Amino acid sequence: MKLEERLELLKEELQKEDFLKSKGLGNEIPFWIFDYPPEKELLLRDTIIKIISNLEKNSIQVLEIDLFNICLEIIDQKISAEKIIAFEESKGSEELLKKMKLMLKPDILKSAIQQKMNENSGFQIIFLNGVGKAWPIVRSHTILNNLQPLLGNIPLVTFYPGKYSGFDLSLFGKIRDANYYRAFRLINTDNVSQS
């Protein structure tokens, strides 16, 4: 099944009452991963905009969280771009990456996402995207683990540029992210084509 076909099925699934009410999950958390070929990123971004618009027309509110943008907001509050450039020039890229990871610890990201949730009300679904852009500073399995206590029964759909087997994540289809088995693969189809 091509990505475009999966996206059409996704549009339908997100409007179903069972999905919105997290029914039929057997007390599991309503975390979903929609994996896709990373080379289809631009198609996915355009489709997400259309999906959100369509859902809102049907009175279904979506809170969209771009993980990369949250990272930029946190970093911007802590240090200026000029200081980041100077740090990288003096200490190197590896040291800068270590410093960024310290500034973006899971608890800090969790608090920033909680703040986004508090600033918005009435949403019935959360879309988490920007996962590929935030790597390697932030690992998606770490974020998902830390979000579990926050969401209750609100479905979280993570748009993941890579592959999710239902047991492990492979970012860009090449980088093994980690084992993660608490989410369901959204639009789980056999023989999914990467075209």
Side-chain angles (χ1 to χ4, degrees):
M1 180 179 291
K2 291 186 177 183
L3 177 63
E4 291 81 359
E5 294 171 299
R6 289 183 67 222
L7 288 168
E8 286 303 314
L9 292 173
L10 175 65
K11 290 175 192 176
E12 295 171 19
E13 185 66 27
L14 294 174
Q15 296 183 59
K16 292 180 179 175
E17 189 165 339
D18 282 356
F19 177 84
L20 294 169
K21 302 281 186 197
S22 301
K23 291 183 180 176
L25 297 180
N27 291 328
E28 291 291 330
I29 55 172
F31 279 20
W32 300 91
I33 294 179
F34 186 87
D35 56 348
Y36 61 93
E39 63 272 14
K40 299 285 189 172
E41 179 71 27
L42 296 179
L43 169 65
L44 193 85
R45 287 183 198 175
D46 288 343
T47 305
I48 288 173
I49 292 167
K50 292 173 186 168
I51 289 173
I52 291 172
S53 176
N54 188 50
L55 289 171
E56 288 177 350
K57 285 177 188 170
N58 290 301
S59 301
I60 300 168
Q61 298 302 310
V62 178
L63 174 60
E64 183 180 14
I65 297 174
D66 186 307
L67 189 56
F68 182 69
N69 288 343
I70 283 189
C71 292
L72 292 179
E73 289 170 16
I74 292 169
I75 291 168
D76 191 47
Q77 291 170 3
K78 295 181 180 226
I79 189 169
S80 70
E82 293 81 18
K83 287 183 179 178
I84 291 172
I85 292 167
F87 184 91
E88 185 175 23
E89 287 173 351
S90 68
K91 306 273 184 174
S93 297
E94 288 298 317
E95 288 302 313
L96 177 61
L97 179 60
K98 288 179 191 174
K99 183 148 183 95
M100 295 289 179
K101 286 182 177 182
L102 286 174
M103 284 192 270
L104 297 167
K105 287 181 180 177
D107 284 344
I108 293 169
L109 284 163
K110 178 181 170 182
S111 294
I113 291 171
Q114 177 73 62
Q115 183 177 343
K116 293 275 184 205
M117 292 171 63
N118 292 342
E119 291 169 356
N120 297 275
S121 61
F123 57 87
Q124 295 144 285
I125 304 173
I126 297 177
F127 282 1
L128 181 66
N129 57 23
V131 170
K133 296 184 290 183
W135 184 87
I137 298 169
V138 177
R139 307 289 296 264
S140 50
H141 73 279
T142 304
I143 294 302
L144 292 174
N145 282 330
N146 279 279
L147 289 180
Q148 289 174 10
L150 292 182
L151 300 183
N153 274 343
I154 298 170
L156 170 77
V157 178
T158 301
F159 292 94
Y160 189 79
K163 296 178 184 174
Y164 179 55
S165 70
F167 298 103
D168 61 352
L169 296 160
S170 174
L171 192 64
F172 311 126
K174 297 179 180 183
I175 301 164
R176 187 166 186 267
D177 196 355
N179 289 340
Y180 188 79
Y181 54 88
R182 298 292 311 265
F184 300 97
R185 187 167 183 252
L186 193 52
I187 313 303
N188 192 14
T189 57
D190 294 329
N191 303 319
V192 173
S193 168
Q194 291 297 316
S195 58

